[in-house]
Amino acid sequence: PTPVLLNGAASASPNAADALSGVESASCESVETGSVGPHTVRCTATDRAGNTATAEAGYLVTYAFEGFFAPVSNDAPNTVKAGQNVPLKWRLLDANGTPVTNLGGVRVTVTDLACSLGATADLAEESAPGNSGLQNKGKGEYHFNWKTPKEYAKSCKMLELDLGEGITRTAVFHFEK
């Protein structure tokens, strides 16, 4: 399966077939789930005539993300005053429910969303003000202060939180003046 949760159980099956001589042997390497991001697993099959074929399959290992915590809503647009600091809070676990306590960094980007408020230019990447970047609060809980630009007034944006695993977590924001 893909994605696979960090430290989760997964396996690959070669599904080899040979209509002429039949399959003598077929196997796959172990599926590695000890680190997040893209991975590949290699499978090899040999037919009864001695021909060998190898194929690779890609998969993604991710964190169990429990969603954004208050004050950010996961299900509804978040109304925010442009220029305001927005505390982004979340919790990460592995497949066994063990808190992830070694997240190295995050990246926050936004994209414009059409809405009745209007549109503004996106900034390439945004970060926290001062020294309030990524904070590890323990037990898998993290906090990142997102300083929103005043230029976002009267627009809608989709926030994308990149935890370095190959996917992004999103939340929608409506910015007031």
Side-chain angles (χ1 to χ4, degrees):
T2 187
V4 179
L5 290 179
L6 178 66
N7 297 323
S11 62
S13 175
N15 297 328
D18 185 322
L20 295 176
S21 66
V23 175
E24 179 72 27
S25 65
S27 63
C28 295
E29 297 172 338
S30 299
V31 175
E32 158 60 33
T33 65
S35 63
V36 297
H39 295 271
T40 58
V41 60
R42 181 186 321 254
C43 298
T44 303
T46 303
D47 68 11
R48 290 192 178 120
N51 301 305
T52 299
T54 300
E56 292 184 346
Y59 63 99
L60 189 62
V61 177
T62 64
Y63 300 112
F65 179 79
E66 291 189 339
F68 291 106
F69 297 159
V72 174
S73 171
N74 294 284
D75 303 319
N78 297 277
T79 301
V80 176
K81 182 177 178 184
Q84 176 181 341
N85 183 44
V86 177
L88 303 175
K89 302 173 186 180
W90 65 91
R91 185 168 189 228
L92 302 176
L93 304 171
D94 73 3
N96 304 307
T98 304
V100 173
T101 58
N102 61 348
L103 182 63
V106 300
R107 193 176 89 180
V108 172
T109 56
V110 296
T111 54
D112 199 40
L113 280 178
C115 71
S116 61
L117 298 176
T120 62
D122 297 332
L123 298 179
E125 184 174 326
E126 299 172 28
S127 61
N131 290 333
S132 63
L134 180 64
Q135 300 169 37
N136 184 339
K137 298 294 191 175
K139 298 181 182 176
E141 295 181 16
Y142 292 88
H143 183 142
F144 183 85
N145 289 316
W146 175 40
K147 176 68 175 161
T148 65
K150 289 182 181 180
E151 295 82 8
Y152 282 0
K154 297 184 179 180
S155 72
C156 297
K157 303 288 183 187
M158 174 156 323
L159 172 132
E160 296 176 345
L161 177 66
D162 181 349
L163 303 174
E165 38 181 355
I167 59 173
T168 56
R169 298 340 201 257
T170 61
V172 174
F173 288 85
H174 292 179
F175 289 96
E176 298 177 335
K177 190 170 183 180

